[in-house]
Amino acid sequence: MIGCLFCKIVQKQIPANIVFEDKRVLAFEDVTPQAPVHILIIPKEHIPTVNDVTGEHRDIIMAMFEAAKVIAKEKNIAYQGYRLVLNTNSEAGQSVFHIHMHLLGGRHMAWPPG
Ligand code: AMP
């Protein structure tokens, strides 16, 4: 989508430290990391929020979780644990309206989140 920051990263118009890519999904380091491991996993297709996900996105959503598993293993945090977060709309703090799964790990995670 024109003007979407994450679509521009998918199209390689904006640089990112890419850690995983397949035909449906791209994953890259968050520019403002909140943990020793902080990766954003995004679909290549533009989907603004989780509220816009439908049954037609089944394969994409599955691919995002598969990517999370692979990356967590590669970063050696699969066993200790990690957190997957999808902020949706304003009260949750979504700032980029192209869905993205935050993969956070490498430190203890408090609950409830802030
Ligand atoms: P959210 O607040 O859930 O929408 O998350 C958006 C995330 O995108 C934030 O954690 C930002 O630090 C991150 N971010 C914004 N711009 C970039 C960028 N150009 N490259 C990597 N991460 C980014």
Side-chain angles (χ1 to χ4, degrees), residues 5-6 9 14-16 28-34 38 40 85-88 92-98 100 102:
L5 173 66
F6 286 175
I9 290 176
I14 290 178
F28 49 93
E29 292 175 359
D30 195 295
V31 77
T32 311
Q34 303 300 317
H38 188 172
L40 299 175
V85 175
L86 285 130
N87 293 323
T88 302
Q94 185 176 5
S95 61
V96 179
F97 286 82
H98 178 132
H100 46 282
H102 296 257

Side-chain angles (χ1 to χ4, degrees), residues 51-81:
N51 291 334
D52 301 299
V53 172
T54 71
E56 291 185 3
H57 300 121
R58 192 178 305 271
D59 290 349
I60 292 171
I61 301 305
M62 190 66 215
M64 291 172 70
F65 278 91
E66 289 288 353
K69 274 174 52 182
V70 169
I71 296 163
K73 195 172 175 191
E74 281 179 356
K75 298 289 184 185
N76 289 315
I77 56 171
Y79 179 74
Q80 300 97 306

Side-chain angles (χ1 to χ4, degrees), residues 7-54:
C7 285
K8 288 179 182 168
I9 290 176
V10 169
Q11 290 154 12
K12 313 282 166 66
Q13 294 171 358
I14 290 178
N17 290 327
I18 293 170
V19 299
F20 178 94
E21 182 168 15
D22 68 13
K23 66 180 180 179
R24 295 188 177 90
V25 166
L26 188 72
F28 49 93
E29 292 175 359
D30 195 295
V31 77
T32 311
Q34 303 300 317
V37 177
H38 188 172
I39 305 295
L40 299 175
I41 302 166
I42 70 169
K44 289 187 170 176
E45 178 179 330
H46 182 82
I47 305 169
T49 79
V50 170
N51 291 334
D52 301 299
V53 172
T54 71

